[in-house]
Amino acid sequence: MTGPILGVETTCDETSAAVLDRRGQILGMVIHSQDVHRIYGGVVPELAARDHLKRIEPVVSAALAEAGVERRELRAVAVAAAPGLIGALLVGVSWARAAAFALGVPWVPVHHMEGHLFGPVLEDPDAVPPFVALLVSGGHTLLLWVPEWGRYHLLGQTRDDAAGEAFDKVAKLLGLPYPGGPAVQEAAREGDPSRYRFPRPMMRATGSGAFDFSFSGLKTSVAQTVAGIGAGRGLEGERAHLAASFQQAVVDVLTAKTLAATRAVGCDRVLLGGGVSANGPLRARFREALGHGGRLFVGSPRVSLDNGAMIARAGQFRLDRGDFGRLRDARASVTIPGMTPWVHDSPRNGYRN
């Protein structure tokens, strides 16, 4: 079949659906972001699942209408099946399987983080391997060497808090709203990033942990500093400086480790994916560091945040390949299909088959 494919995303607090044509072009996409979690300063899993259940059908219908596509024209239904909040995942997977069965087409389970890998290619056809990929979101921080689609070598990952999670927690410490990434970035515009010298965790790590990340200690350092300020002159006048200093520390760590990875594998092409990749200073630092010799692939904020289009695009790849890995149902945690540990082989290619 050569018809369009529907992608559905419900891993956390965005209900999204998108329709892509056979060439991978977005025909229609709708994203509903749940705002009830602002009250609690973070995602409440039960509330997220209930809202997905209420929104999924209207969101899909709106995406199909925008695309001008009838359901009977679909050749497949792709859905983010892992990782994520299990209740939220079950809503999307159950809907997708039922819809595919009713239409007599395949349902394609997609790994959410593989979806983020395909995000930039939705807008830039040159965003194809080989590249070093930095995937940064609320729940994940992954550094991968991608010599080709479907072959993912894990260079490093977070040992505790993900980068996006650290942004959310620090935003709460600073009295800023959820989600924390945009709030911290906005507050940091008026701040001096050199006012506070927060730690850059694992920057000097070597050996098997050279490309791993850790943001828990950085968050704790901010918390201790905020507590000290609150006991003295007050937080209000220092909020922007704290936000800027924290953001600078995260950007320093992410860029330094990623650039070190490009040297290790011998490839100066970098792809950024995940919600944190929408951070302006992070993008600017990478563009400056890579200069004219390297290449940066990063999508617009709309395709960097959780969305159905990236799921549909990854679903196209998996459908054409006929390989869904171990994904057969909703899973709260599972590795990306095709991902193996990176083993340095030689300076020439930086990896071993």
Side-chain angles (χ1 to χ4, degrees):
M1 295 178 63
T2 59
I5 185 170
L6 173 69
V8 175
E9 159 66 34
T10 64
T11 57
C12 191
D13 58 342
E14 269 85 31
T15 311
S16 180
V19 181
L20 267 58
D21 66 16
R22 192 64 181 83
R23 299 169 300 163
Q25 300 297 307
I26 300 175
L27 300 178
M29 180 164 72
V30 174
I31 303 173
H32 167 73
S33 296
Q34 303 172 2
D35 58 5
V36 66
H37 307 290
R38 292 175 181 267
I39 301 172
Y40 305 98
V43 177
V44 180
E46 178 65 21
L47 294 179
R50 290 183 182 184
D51 198 68
H52 287 308
L53 192 61
K54 180 169 62 175
R55 305 288 182 178
I56 188 167
E57 179 60 32
V59 165
V60 169
S61 296
L64 288 165
E66 182 181 310
V69 171
E70 298 289 336
R71 298 189 189 214
R72 64 176 180 273
E73 298 176 66
L74 296 172
R75 72 182 183 111
V77 179
V79 61
L85 303 175
I86 191 62
L89 287 166
L90 283 169
V91 173
V93 168
S94 299
W95 187 96
R97 294 181 72 169
F101 177 79
L103 295 169
V105 300
W107 79 281
V108 185
V110 171
H111 194 286
H112 176 75
M113 299 310 291
E114 186 172 38
H116 278 305
L117 278 174
F118 279 93
V121 80
L122 292 166
E123 300 172 334
D124 184 355
D126 293 332
V128 295
F131 51 68
V132 171
L134 175 66
L135 302 181
V136 276
S137 66
H140 301 85
T141 302
L142 294 172
L143 191 57
L144 306 174
W145 162 232
V146 184
E148 62 184 59
W149 291 123
R151 290 182 62 199
Y152 310 124
H153 299 272
L154 178 63
L155 292 158
Q157 59 188 324
T158 184
R159 296 189 175 187
D160 39 61
D161 290 354
E165 183 181 3
F167 268 100
D168 289 339
K169 290 180 176 178
V170 167
K172 192 170 184 178
L173 288 170
L174 298 180
L176 297 171
Y178 175 87
V184 169
Q185 179 177 324
E186 183 60 31
R189 294 183 195 279
E190 305 299 323
D192 177 4
S194 64
R195 176 72 69 93
Y196 297 95
R197 181 63 184 178
F198 292 125
R200 272 66 171 163
M202 298 194 71
M203 283 279 275
R204 297 182 180 180
T206 59
S208 61
F211 299 120
D212 281 347
F213 302 89
S214 171
F215 294 104
S216 180
L218 171 58
K219 175 203 67 182
T220 300
S221 180
V222 175
Q224 291 173 340
T225 303
V226 169
I229 292 172
R233 56 189 178 280
L235 179 62
E236 189 63 34
E238 297 299 310
R239 182 177 288 111
H241 305 305
L242 288 162
S245 300
F246 162 75
Q247 180 176 253
Q248 186 74 49
V250 174
V251 169
D252 285 350
V253 171
L254 293 176
T255 52
K257 286 187 174 275
T258 304
L259 293 171
T262 65
R263 295 189 291 270
V265 303
C267 178
D268 58 0
R269 293 159 56 88
V270 173
L271 180 140
L272 297 183
V276 180
S277 72
N279 181 273
L282 180 65
R283 294 176 179 224
R285 176 71 70 80
F286 269 111
R287 289 194 176 99
E288 178 185 4
L290 289 169
H292 298 293
R295 187 74 187 272
L296 177 67
F297 303 110
V298 59
S300 67
R302 192 169 189 236
V303 299
S304 297
L305 301 174
D306 293 352
N307 65 88
M310 70 181 194
I311 301 303
R313 184 62 185 82
Q316 276 187 334
F317 168 72
R318 287 293 166 183
L319 181 63
D320 293 343
R321 187 185 176 103
D323 173 20
F324 310 138
R326 292 176 293 167
L327 292 177
R328 291 292 182 269
D329 209 336
R331 300 280 295 276
S333 179
V334 66
T335 58
I336 303 174
M339 188 168 78
T340 58
W342 176 73
V343 180
H344 191 279
D345 184 35
S346 73
R348 181 182 64 81
N349 58 27
Y351 70 98
R352 183 169 67 194
N353 292 329

